[in-house]
Amino acid sequence: MPFTASEMFGLMDCNNFYASCERLFRPDLTNRPVVVLSNNDGCIIARSNEAKALGIGMGTPYFKQELLIRKHDVAVFSSNYPLYGDISQRVMDILMQLEPDVEVYSIDEAFIRLPTGRHRDLESWGRSLKTTVQKHTGIPVSIGFGPTKTLAKIANRFAKKNPSAAGIFVITEQQPVDRLLAAVPVGDIWGIGRRHAARLKKHSIHTALELKNCADTWIRKQLTVTGLRTAMELRGIPCISLEKTGPAKKSICTSRSFGQPVYTLGDLQEAVATYTTQAACKLRHEGLRTTIVDVFIRTNSFKKDAPQYCNRRIFTLPAPSSHTATLIKVALTSLNAIYRPGYRYQKAGVLLNGLVPENYEQLRLFHTPAPCNEASLMKAVDEINRRWGRDTIQPAAAGLAKEWHFRQMKKSPAYTTRWSELPIAKASFPESFSMA
DNA sequence: TCTGGGGTCCTAGGACCC
DNA sequence: TCTGGGGTCCTAGGACCC
């Protein structure tokens, strides 16, 4: 089917983003394989091309790859989100200066909407964007273009995988797009995950082209309406629009695995108070308040032989709040109710739901409104922590030693966001050099 | 010994309303 | 004896994304 696109979509994606960020201030790592680990140094979540070539899999537990990593002298980093977040912002700023319709889709990806005719030659425009980003931030990017977001994603995949594309690929109406789609396994399509891919394979649907040609009613039945939208997008019919400003958050979650097993209620209380503090801070940052506080704890489900326990308690507040102390109070009450001694706890978390804008107030007949100094107190605390570092002021309940805290053994410096960790450049001048 | 975290959307089923 | 139909809201579970 020919496309009749009135607009095109671009997808710009940073190559091996976290690994590329780690390399920015370490030129000695240029040709050395690099991997970045998840929180707690648990799984491998980013790999440089050299690391991919060694066969190090995405998402595999670090301890399973340790031998290979040592053998090939792979550089290993704990994840450094302040660094990645800051570099991401710089990349996105460049893009947004050049184009008005940009959707920042994730830390390392952005969609761009381009009305037909805006750029006569998308390929050369993409190439110049790629050069600009590389020049100003040092981050290599790939860009794919297509008449729908899903096709732009596929174009991006070709841009990365085909050396001849050199990082830019355009799917246009003139192209034999079916030939491209025949080379894309269903599991590589945006929106088709592992479960759906397995189900499609069972029905002998192996490629994007085969999915595109399935009957709508069949797709709807097998993959629900989201799968049908994906199929339509493969046909060049846009069903997923550009979201320039993300919709307001519907939930905020802070949860972590512990650096070492936790047994006592005291340690769990510290952890839950810490996570609640962080979640409340995010909440205020978004200009929201919460009405539902959900606390959960659980043991390590990978340890089949150890006794397992997991539980949660959902508490509905009488009135919306973003006051840290109020939220900690209900979170700890919930925790105390679900805690059972004798288990080796591995993870805890706090999930805030029922979010409302901070200026929204549903008055209750018998409820006394929160004193208005709560808001100013929180504002002062946030400002102090912003200026002097996250835990400059924290509730006593969150503890100081935090022995349960997750591990980050191989973290690089916060090169761009902390004065004390700025990289130092040293210049040496030849003997003959003279300032005269 | 060691297996991430933070989100969204969809559906089915139950409870409840008039 | 005969016991409707249409709707909303909530929750749990499944699936997806990066």
Side-chain angles (χ1 to χ4, degrees):
Chain A
M1 189 200 303
F3 303 129
T4 49
S6 62
E7 58 188 18
M8 289 285 276
F9 291 90
L11 176 68
M12 184 187 81
D13 179 322
C14 302
N15 299 346
N16 314 327
F17 184 55
Y18 297 171
S20 301
C21 288
E22 293 296 347
R23 267 185 179 154
L24 280 181
F25 297 94
R26 291 284 305 273
D28 57 303
L29 298 177
T30 300
N31 290 312
R32 207 174 132 192
V34 174
V35 298
V36 178
L37 306 179
S38 63
N39 270 339
N40 242 342
D41 295 342
C43 293
I44 290 163
I45 54 166
R47 306 153 298 154
S48 70
N49 287 339
E50 299 79 7
K52 287 178 188 172
L54 291 174
I56 297 174
M58 178 70 173
T60 52
Y62 173 52
F63 73 92
K64 286 190 178 169
Q65 303 272 339
E66 225 173 339
L67 272 183
L68 190 67
I69 281 172
R70 251 187 246 149
K71 186 173 160 199
H72 295 278
D73 191 29
V74 177
V76 180
F77 291 93
S78 302
S79 36
N80 183 348
Y81 289 105
L83 175 67
Y84 312 149
D86 183 59
I87 302 298
S88 169
Q89 187 66 56
R90 296 173 192 219
V91 171
M92 300 305 172
D93 282 349
I94 291 173
L95 181 56
M96 286 190 280
Q97 277 166 23
L98 295 172
E99 279 299 319
D101 291 336
V102 172
E103 171 186 346
V104 176
Y105 177 66
S106 72
I107 195 165
D108 68 337
E109 278 175 76
F111 285 104
I112 314 151
R113 182 172 50 205
L114 301 150
T116 309
R118 182 172 177 83
H119 299 289
R120 223 179 38 211
D121 180 355
L122 276 179
E123 182 162 343
S124 61
W125 180 74
R127 210 161 289 292
S128 101
L129 172 61
K130 179 176 162 61
T131 311
T132 308
V133 173
Q134 170 92 51
K135 186 172 152 197
H136 291 285
T137 65
I139 297 293
V141 300
S142 303
I143 311 167
F145 298 95
T148 65
K149 281 177 152 183
T150 304
L151 287 171
K153 273 267 190 187
I154 286 177
N156 185 282
R157 181 177 176 276
F158 274 95
K160 265 192 193 147
K161 288 210 159 181
N162 294 356
S164 61
I168 308 289
F169 195 88
V170 187
I171 291 180
T172 62
E173 303 181 24
Q174 290 79 33
Q175 255 172 354
V177 68
D178 282 0
R179 221 176 58 207
L180 289 178
L181 296 186
V184 178
V186 279
D188 286 4
I189 304 169
W190 184 49
I192 305 292
R194 222 177 342 171
R195 298 297 182 101
H196 282 165
R199 177 176 289 195
L200 287 170
K201 273 179 200 155
K202 225 168 61 193
H203 289 94
S204 302
I205 309 295
H206 299 280
T207 68
L209 179 61
E210 286 165 341
L211 177 61
K212 175 185 160 181
N213 291 333
C214 283
D216 288 359
T217 45
W218 186 84
I219 299 174
R220 176 82 170 69
K221 200 173 147 210
Q222 296 292 327
L223 312 179
T224 79
V225 66
T226 48
L228 183 55
R229 278 200 279 261
T230 297
M232 303 286 267
E233 288 239 320
L234 290 175
R235 297 169 193 160
I237 302 161
C239 297
I240 307 172
S241 53
L242 193 90
E243 313 276 351
K244 276 176 75 170
T245 51
K249 274 195 174 29
K250 294 176 178 169
S251 66
I252 285 175
C253 177
T254 302
S255 79
R256 298 275 183 282
S257 297
F258 302 126
Q260 53 193 34
V262 163
Y263 299 91
T264 67
L265 179 59
D267 278 346
L268 282 176
Q269 285 169 334
E270 265 188 30
V272 166
T274 301
Y275 302 158
T276 307
T277 306
Q278 288 171 19
C281 182
K282 288 187 213 172
L283 195 60
R284 294 188 296 268
H285 184 73
E286 300 279 335
L288 297 168
R289 291 190 294 176
T290 183
T291 50
I292 300 168
V293 181
D294 181 353
V295 173
F296 61 89
I297 51 176
R298 71 156 186 250
T299 53
N300 188 343
S301 57
F302 284 103
K303 297 207 168 300
K304 299 282 182 229
D305 47 343
Q308 298 288 327
Y309 176 68
C310 79
N311 205 346
R312 70 199 296 185
R313 171 72 49 111
I314 299 170
F315 187 96
T316 304
L317 295 163
S321 174
S322 61
H323 183 236
T324 301
T326 304
L327 301 183
I328 287 182
K329 202 167 151 193
V330 305
L332 291 184
T333 306
S334 298
L335 171 66
N336 296 343
I338 56 177
Y339 172 76
R340 300 284 177 274
Y343 291 98
R344 184 190 154 109
Y345 291 96
Q346 183 240 358
K347 187 172 186 173
V350 176
L351 180 60
L352 306 179
N353 264 307
L355 308 186
V356 297
E358 60 191 353
N359 50 10
Y360 167 95
E361 186 88 65
Q362 173 69 60
L363 296 173
R364 301 264 178 139
L365 197 51
F366 299 113
H367 179 256
T368 321
C372 54
N373 61 6
E374 279 189 357
S376 14
L377 173 64
M378 288 295 98
K379 204 173 158 196
V381 167
D382 288 341
E383 179 56 25
I384 290 169
N385 284 338
R386 189 191 67 76
R387 199 180 301 178
W388 301 102
R390 189 160 85 175
D391 293 328
T392 307
I393 292 190
Q394 63 151 5
L400 290 172
K402 298 189 198 275
E403 284 177 3
W404 41 268
H405 198 268
F406 64 81
R407 283 185 303 269
Q408 265 188 324
M409 305 292 282
K410 304 160 188 296
K411 188 159 168 276
S412 52
Y415 294 112
T416 61
T417 54
R418 208 175 262 259
W419 288 109
S420 58
E421 299 180 20
L422 287 185
I424 295 170
K426 289 180 183 154
S428 61
F429 298 104
E431 295 282 324
S432 56
F433 186 86
S434 153
M435 294 293 281

